[in-house]
């Protein structure tokens, strides 16, 4: 069941009715959410439900154990020896949780990849090893909920948040279905207090939630799915059949597709969360407006990048770490981790390394400019000039787009073939299968226009226009929303595809 | 030189080149939300303060709660064990 599918159109109203009909107590509301979460998960991976439940239990117990050790160690009269013992036990609790979470992630997601990579490496030096490879079904959303639980246990260990006492609240926090399979990656300090308190109906929150859901639906079910089907997939499946122009169009189409797919999913998740009275964190912030790579990563998949920054980059480059102060090495490690997070495939490793190196180059460039700016303030003005800003924007966006070649390709060989197709002019259709769709070329143009308009409505005159729309009479806005829904019913196929990020 | 001046000078040297003092309207103003500093800048600022002031900042305390604003930085650094004032 996915947000843009028919099943969800039946599931959501029933779920909302059940949720808002139970007594407005946190316990009752969480019990409904928990059942809905497990039901939602069951529709994806019925056999892995016990594993999901066990993973929840392990982290609940680990956090409670850590909190108990902290409390005992901090008690008045506790001797230094006792405090040290309690600290060791708290560290043990953290270690068990990390080992379980990372071990599970490695077992399901990476073991096969590492075994195959090792065998391939050995083969290059003439050793043909047959390593045992387990072909296990990847539990849905494992990368998302594992990171969510790791952050929770680390935060409890660091004393940033208290351990959640209620197993029901904690289980609901892990299994909250709007963000269960593809984020946003929520944090304990933000979401647990919301789930610990009763939620009350709020018409304004529902309005905002429904609007956001509709926006996400348009992005996912119309723009992303249309581009995938008619522009992107045919060219990536068989690049040799298409011209260089079709390659560029497919690559640009994929950039729009992956953004609309994932940000659309996130908006539907946040919108659904609001319908249940729970506010989820923002995951995208108009990445097309980014004028540098660091800015792009502050605007794209915000909850993952914040997580990587707080739990990997920060600890790695500060304190007593051996990489202290080595920001370049920190970038490489973080983006290698980000690449592997997306999947156990060499293409994702390359994608991560490309972005890590991109950040290193940007960082060095930035340092050099700063040195110039310190010497002569004229360089500050040059840095802020329109040509510099425009060039920065163009380079950032072009870099990101080109990095999607390995990201989208199934293998490095496929990526190389596609990259060659971008450069080598050869015969073949200039526009992929889009002509097969009704008003094909027009719809392709409309998808790109919607993507551009979405970003332009955030800046300058566009933002004023957007604000003017939201200031219109509710009946007028309602009519516009109705027209959008009617258009969607005409244009969007009933059975929509899956989400790109759900597979991670 | 006061701690405030040290931070403003660092911001000027690295991000705002002579405009930092005018950009920081008050001590409560968020550095992150107002483009004074980004998350990478926080790491660089922490590394700088450790070196300049001879203090050690625990990784657990590397959070916007402690660094997202002039007031927060001044209060946080003043409370770091072993901090004896600007050197």
């Amino acid at each position: 069941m996915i947000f843009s599918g028919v099943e969800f159109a039946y599931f959501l109203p029933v779920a909302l009715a059940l949720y808002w009909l139970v007594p407005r107590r946190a316990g009752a509301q969480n019990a409904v959410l928990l059942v809905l979460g497990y039901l939602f998960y069951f529709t994806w991976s019925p056999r892995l439900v016990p594993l999901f439940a066990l993973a929840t239990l392990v982290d609940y117990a680990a956090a409670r154990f850590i909190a108990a050790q902290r409390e005992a160690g901090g008690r008045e009269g506790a001797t230094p020896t006792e405090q040290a013992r309690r600290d060791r036990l708290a560290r043990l609790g953290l270690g068990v949780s990390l080992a379980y979470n990372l071990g599970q992630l490695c077992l399901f997601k990476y073991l096969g990849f590492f075994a195959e990579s090792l065998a391939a490496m050995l083969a290059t030096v003439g050793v043909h090893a047959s390593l045992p490879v387990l072909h296990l079904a990847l539990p849905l959303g494992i990368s998302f909920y594992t990171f969510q639980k790791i952050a929770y246990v680390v935060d409890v260990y660091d004393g940033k948040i208290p351990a959640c006492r209620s197993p029901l609240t904690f289980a609901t926090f892990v299994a909250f279905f709007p963000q269960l399979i593809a984020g946003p990656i929520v944090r304990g300090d933000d979401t647990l207090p919301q789930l610990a308190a009763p939620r009350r109906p709020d018409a304004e929150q529902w309005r905002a939630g429904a609007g956001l859901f509709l926006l996400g639906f348009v992005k996912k079910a119309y723009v992303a799915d249309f581009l995938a089907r008619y522009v992107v997939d045919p060219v990536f499946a068989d690049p040799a059949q298409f011209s260089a122009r079709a390659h560029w169009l497919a690559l640009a189409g994929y950039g729009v597709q992956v953004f609309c797919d994932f940000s659309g999913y996130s908006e539907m998740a946040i919108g659904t969360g609001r319908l249940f009275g729970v506010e989820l964190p923002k995951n995208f912030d108009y990445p097309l407006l980014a004028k540098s790579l660091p800015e792009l990563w502050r605007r794209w998949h915000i909850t993952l990048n914040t997580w990587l920054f707080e739990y990997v980059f920060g600890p790695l480059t500060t304190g007593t770490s051996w990489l202290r102060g080595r920001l370049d090495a920190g970038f490489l490690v973080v983006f290698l981790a980000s690449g592997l997070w997306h999947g156990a495939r060499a293409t994702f490793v390359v994608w991560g390394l490309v972005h890590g190196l991109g950040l290193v180059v940007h960082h060095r460039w930035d340092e050099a400019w700063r040195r110039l700016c310190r010497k002569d303030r004229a360089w500050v003005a040059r840095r802020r000039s329109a040509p510099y800003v425009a060039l920065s924007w163009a380079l950032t966006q072009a870099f990101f787009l080109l990095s999607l070649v390995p990201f989208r390709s199934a293998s490095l060989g496929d990526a190389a073939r596609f990259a060659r197709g971008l450069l080598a002019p050869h015969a073949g259709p200039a526009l992929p299968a889009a002509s097969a769709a009704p008003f094909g070329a027009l719809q392709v143009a409309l998808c790109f226009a919607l993507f551009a308009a979405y970003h332009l409505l955030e800046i300058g005159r566009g933002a004023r226009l957007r604000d003017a729309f939201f200031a219109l009479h509710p009946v007028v806005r309602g009519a516009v929303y109705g027209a959008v829904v009617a258009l969607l019913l005409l244009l969007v196929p009933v059975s929509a595809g899956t989400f790109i990020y759900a597979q991670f | 030189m006061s701690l405030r001046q040290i931070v403003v000078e660092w911001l000027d040297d690295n991000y705002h080149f002579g405009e930092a003092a005018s950009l920081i309207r008050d001590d409560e103003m968020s550095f992150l939300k107002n483009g004074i500093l980004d998350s990478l800048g926080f790491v660089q600022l922490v590394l700088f303060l450790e070196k300049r002031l001879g203090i050690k900042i625990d990784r657990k305390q590397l959070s916007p709660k402690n660094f997202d604003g002039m007031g927060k930085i001044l209060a946080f650094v003043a409370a770091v064990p072993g901090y004896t004032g600007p050197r």
Side-chain angles (χ1 to χ4, degrees), chain A residues 207 286 453-454 456-474 477 481:
Chain A
R207 188 201 61 75
Y286 305 93
Y454 171 79
L456 290 174
L457 286 173
E458 180 61 15
I459 47 173
R461 275 183 214 163
R464 284 198 291 278
L465 196 68
R466 182 200 59 199
D467 294 342
F469 171 75
F470 284 116
L472 289 174
H473 192 277
R477 276 186 288 137
Y481 293 144

Side-chain angles (χ1 to χ4, degrees), chain A residues 160-225:
Chain A
K160 288 180 183 166
I161 57 170
C164 179
R165 286 180 175 275
S166 159
L168 176 62
T169 307
F170 182 72
T172 310
F173 164 68
V174 179
F176 186 49
F177 79 89
Q179 52 83 230
L180 179 58
I181 57 162
I185 300 171
V186 297
R187 302 285 279 277
D189 59 348
D190 184 40
T191 309
L192 278 169
Q194 294 188 62
L195 294 173
R199 280 125 271 157
R200 310 203 174 282
D202 179 342
E204 180 52 31
Q205 197 179 27
W206 288 350
R207 188 201 61 75
L212 204 57
F213 188 93
L214 183 61
L215 173 67
F217 189 86
V218 171
K219 285 161 83 177
K220 160 64 187 163
Y222 179 58
V223 180
D225 285 354

Side-chain angles (χ1 to χ4, degrees), chain A residues 70 94 154 157-160 294 298 309-310 313-315 317-320 324-327 331 363 366-367 369-371 373-374 377 380 383-384, chain B residues 10 12-19 23 32 37-44 46-48 50-51 55-65:
Chain A
R70 290 272 184 252
L94 176 68
V154 171
Y157 177 81
D158 284 349
K160 288 180 183 166
R298 285 195 297 276
F309 183 83
E310 285 187 32
F313 187 83
T317 54
T318 59
T320 53
R324 183 190 146 80
R326 296 177 187 172
L327 302 185
F331 292 136
H363 182 59
D366 213 35
E367 291 285 307
W369 263 95
R370 284 176 195 178
R371 275 196 295 276
C373 290
R374 276 179 216 127
R377 292 288 149 89
V380 179
R383 194 182 159 101
R384 288 176 186 161
Chain B
W10 183 84
D12 269 337
D13 270 357
N14 291 280
Y15 283 88
H16 300 294
F17 309 104
E19 294 173 5
L23 287 171
L32 274 176
L37 207 56
D38 56 23
S39 45
L40 182 61
F42 276 117
V43 170
Q44 291 176 307
V46 165
L47 292 168
F48 164 77
E50 284 187 328
K51 195 172 169 187
I55 56 174
K56 287 273 166 242
I57 296 170
D58 191 334
R59 67 156 185 90
K60 294 175 199 167
Q61 292 161 331
L62 189 71
S63 129
K65 198 176 76 182

